[in-house]
Amino acid sequence: MEAIAGRIVLLWGWRRAGTAFVAGALAVLALPPFDFFAACFVSFPVLVWLLDGAISDGNGRFLKRLTPFFAIGWWFGFGYFLAGLWWIGNALLVDAGQFAWALPLAVIALPACLALFFGLAASLARLCWSSDIGRIAALAAAFGVAEWLRSFLLTGFPWNSIGYAAMPVPMFMQPVSIVGLYGMNALAVFIFAMPAILAGPRGRLSGLALAVAIVAAAGGFGAWRLGQHNADPSETLSVRIVQPAIGQSGKWDASLRDSIFATLLELSVAEPENGGEEPQLIVWPETAVPFLFTERPDALLAIGQTLQDGQMLLAGAVRTEVGGGSDARYYNSILAIDSNGEIVDAADKVHLVPFGEYLPLAELLQSLGLRQVVTAPGLFSAGSSRGVLEAPGGARMLAMICYEIIFPDEVPHSSNANVIVNLTNDAWYGDTPGPYQHFRQARVRAVETGLPLIRAANNGISAVVDAHGRIIDAFDLNAIGSLDAELVVGKLPVSPFKRYTFIAIILVFATIACIRHLLSKS
């Protein structure tokens, strides 16, 4: 181990940058669909050793001393985000004639920008770098801060946060109910980087003992929480999820709209498996309705004729709203439709995708001939507040559309919801790791909030997940059909102080790092 570490420490130039890049890319194997979390026990020690070799004599200017650390962190992040997000480019190939030119921006420029956060993490760690467990704590605290910043700066994009690599199974997802995703990010880096101390002269036993204790505590708490049944089993909801797997290229083809709508209706009225009861709630994916209801009132009549008395349909659709002038507003929405064919409630998407659903600096970019990627009559408008939809059986559903589910802070603490409903359309990304990564983040959000999850995806992965993150039933990617399941609705206890827990974790790691740094100077 010491020989390997020594060689990595002495790397220079392009070899140092290339090793950091490969180490970051290797860490992606810990994410879905691979879930080979052991890869991070290689990637992060390599990162630590590369940073060990970047220590300057300390006589230069402040920024000059940080630059080598920033460069290594950036190359590590560039490898991580390039290998983990390359599939975003697939969305631009759906309409290649319009958007193929932007492929380098999505596949290379976006990872390069996100890598700045990892460069920042490495730079922050440099402030309290030492030669033993202190540097591991410094790296964990710095990544915790950087990943928190990534969740909200420039509208935020916390996709593939490091903490997800440490939560491959429900047992290890449970601690997120106490420390939140931000706390898990810091803890994950601390654990993954700990093997680096095996190459050092001091702190081996104490460091490994602390890491083992944290893992054992997380696993023990997870096993205990999985055995708890806090929701009232009498409060159940029978739900049917429709997964039509409509190809994205033909989704808004005018000649196919009637057949797409007919497919949705047909799947909605399929006979329940094993002679079960008819579902109380039917759920269609995001923007499943291929037209505006204002232009096709006959479609609402058809839905009313399809639903049985007491049933409700949640349909992903574009909702239009005419303002005081002649201009209309368009919303990416979930519409609640009853058995009379009436829209009784709606929830609009609040957190829109930049460049996908709206254009920042719209007037300027539209004057240059640019438009958003998602096909719609016009630019989408953001909803004013997060909606809670009432459903049969006393279900109060927190509506989250598409990638809203990846944002921990998008769930209002004051919500009286007892289930999350997440509608999405991952057909944009084809048969790539993207849909698997999205589904894992949705499962973790269920655990973090203590709320069960109903997830309808156009081409998958559609699923019903309990509040512990366990899959009750699911459709695989590109499957076509209707999925029936019984879901116990209700909220499990979670810590209301997750943000304060995260701050405490950062302060503990930062304190350890600073103490060891000062001792190394004395």
Side-chain angles (χ1 to χ4, degrees), residues 130-201:
S130 61
S131 60
D132 53 19
I133 191 176
R135 71 199 202 281
I136 310 298
L139 196 66
F143 262 92
V145 171
E147 287 287 61
W148 168 67
L149 292 173
R150 185 161 71 93
S151 72
F152 66 87
L153 287 182
L154 300 176
T155 79
F157 191 58
W159 196 286
N160 285 351
S161 294
I162 294 295
Y164 291 115
M167 297 183 279
V169 294
M171 184 171 73
F172 285 102
M173 293 177 188
Q174 304 313 305
V176 80
S177 66
I178 296 177
V179 303
L181 177 63
Y182 306 140
M184 287 297 295
N185 290 332
L187 291 171
V189 172
F190 186 76
I191 298 300
F192 288 143
M194 190 57 70
I197 68 170
L198 295 176

Side-chain angles (χ1 to χ4, degrees), residues 265-297:
L265 292 178
E266 181 181 350
L267 294 174
S268 300
V269 297
E271 287 294 325
E273 294 183 2
N274 303 320
E277 295 183 359
E278 294 290 337
Q280 297 168 286
L281 181 70
I282 301 172
V283 187
W284 293 357
E286 178 190 16
T287 59
V289 180
F291 41 69
L292 297 174
F293 278 125
T294 52
E295 298 175 354
R296 292 286 304 273

Side-chain angles (χ1 to χ4, degrees), residues 281 283-284 314 334 387 389 397-401 405 419-423 452-456:
L281 181 70
V283 187
W284 293 357
L314 295 185
I334 301 176
L389 303 172
M397 301 172 293
L398 183 67
M400 308 194 80
I401 301 176
I405 197 75
V419 62
I420 296 174
V421 60
N422 176 220
L423 273 55
L453 169 70
I454 300 169
R455 187 173 196 264

